[in-house]
Amino acid sequence: DTHELAFVWNRKAEVLSGMVPPHLRLGDLEDFRDYSPDLIVEVAHPAITHTYGPQFLEHCDYMAGSPTAFAILDTEAAMRRAAREPNGYGLYIPRGALPGLEDILRMVENNSLETGRISMMKHPSSLKYHGPLNFDLEAIDRKTTVYDGPLRSLCEFAPNNVNTMAVFAMASRLGFDEIQAQLIADPTLEHHITAVTLLGPDDGGPRYSLDLVRRSPAGPRAVTSTATLSSFAASMIRSCGGGDGIFYR
């Protein structure tokens, strides 16, 4: 399959100078319809989905690259409604750094996923965390838990760091309140580590569990790992033409 660029929009239009031909630079995102895109790919900020997501889905497929947007209840509800509209356009959510997406979707289909946990470990300089702390994030010199609790609040505190966790909440159908999330800073790391635990029903006997770990090389200050770009590109290529609904790629 071949893909042709319809337009590029950036909050700071001057950034596109010399990189994108003038006729492909979109000045006002409200004018996206004029370019007749088949797929809009967001790689900017969760606010794009909050503000424009339902509008996009009225006219084309939409790939939300910042799925922490769905941690806001009204946004998730609005996007689910828009994706159900029988107009042939769907919402696509890229897997990012999430390990075991196929296992998660299979357990959901079989009604065998009862709960789950997810943790992410990164170098402190890779974190953009705006939540409450009782220590100085920049002074961390040993492995330190930055957050441990329901995922919804963490998506607010670190929207740039935990998109992978948001994919887990959506794909598992467990939601942002049910999933327990942990964000850990470790100054010794040269990887971003994502660990997921899937748990089956607790029926009093031995309980099914599946542990999944992904280690992606990432230097200090990197918000995403070196493997995430190729993963995102592969997701984008598979994100179009599926019809109505929500799809995980």
Side-chain angles (χ1 to χ4, degrees), residues 222-237:
V223 176
T224 57
S225 71
T226 55
T228 299
L229 178 59
S230 58
S231 172
F232 192 91
S235 296
M236 183 183 67
I237 290 171

Side-chain angles (χ1 to χ4, degrees), residues 163-245:
N163 280 302
T164 295
M165 293 186 176
V167 179
F168 181 38
M170 294 289 287
S172 68
R173 300 185 186 175
L174 295 173
F176 291 84
D177 297 309
E178 177 66 25
I179 289 176
Q180 291 296 299
Q182 192 175 61
L183 183 62
I184 298 170
D186 186 342
T188 69
L189 287 180
E190 295 181 348
H191 292 74
H192 288 175
I193 301 174
T194 305
V196 175
T197 296
L198 308 176
L199 294 170
D202 185 1
D203 56 9
R207 191 176 191 182
Y208 175 85
S209 67
L210 177 60
D211 293 314
L212 305 158
V213 180
R214 184 178 190 263
R215 296 179 176 87
S216 298
R221 293 179 296 280
V223 176
T224 57
S225 71
T226 55
T228 299
L229 178 59
S230 58
S231 172
F232 192 91
S235 296
M236 183 183 67
I237 290 171
R238 298 194 300 270
S239 295
C240 197
D244 314 317

Side-chain angles (χ1 to χ4, degrees), residues 10-23:
N10 191 287
R11 180 171 57 88
K12 297 180 179 179
E14 63 272 15
V15 173
L16 303 179
S17 179
M19 299 176 60
V20 178
H23 70 284

Side-chain angles (χ1 to χ4, degrees), residues 47-234:
I48 301 300
T49 296
H50 304 325
T51 307
Y52 297 100
Q55 295 180 51
F56 291 159
L57 283 174
E58 291 178 4
H59 299 275
C60 62
D61 291 318
Y62 177 52
M63 178 176 166
S66 304
T68 51
F70 304 118
I72 295 180
L73 285 167
D74 289 346
T75 298
E76 180 184 0
M79 292 301 290
R80 288 189 181 277
R81 285 195 301 270
R84 287 196 300 267
E85 286 293 319
N87 58 10
Y89 302 128
L91 170 63
Y92 292 83
I93 301 177
R95 69 188 302 156
L98 181 65
L101 175 62
E102 293 76 14
D103 296 282
I104 293 166
L105 296 175
R106 189 178 305 113
M107 290 183 71
V108 169
E109 183 178 357
N110 295 334
N111 294 314
S112 60
L113 179 58
E114 184 169 292
T115 188
R117 299 188 297 269
I118 185 167
S119 68
M120 298 188 76
M121 289 162 274
K122 301 185 177 187
H123 191 281
S125 65
S126 295
L127 299 182
K128 294 185 177 181
Y129 184 83
H130 308 290
L133 288 172
N134 56 6
F135 55 83
D136 183 357
L137 187 60
E138 295 182 358
I140 289 177
D141 59 0
R142 62 177 62 86
K143 186 176 180 180
T144 302
T145 298
V146 176
Y147 178 90
D148 191 349
L151 175 56
R152 192 178 302 279
S153 293
L154 182 55
C155 288
E156 176 187 353
F157 298 152
N160 299 104
N161 288 124
V162 299
N163 280 302
T164 295
M165 293 186 176
V167 179
F168 181 38
M170 294 289 287
S172 68
R173 300 185 186 175
L174 295 173
F176 291 84
D177 297 309
E178 177 66 25
I179 289 176
Q180 291 296 299
Q182 192 175 61
L183 183 62
I184 298 170
D186 186 342
T188 69
L189 287 180
E190 295 181 348
H191 292 74
H192 288 175
I193 301 174
T194 305
V196 175
T197 296
L198 308 176
L199 294 170
D202 185 1
D203 56 9
R207 191 176 191 182
Y208 175 85
S209 67
L210 177 60
D211 293 314
L212 305 158
V213 180
R214 184 178 190 263
R215 296 179 176 87
S216 298
R221 293 179 296 280
V223 176
T224 57
S225 71
T226 55
T228 299
L229 178 59
S230 58
S231 172
F232 192 91

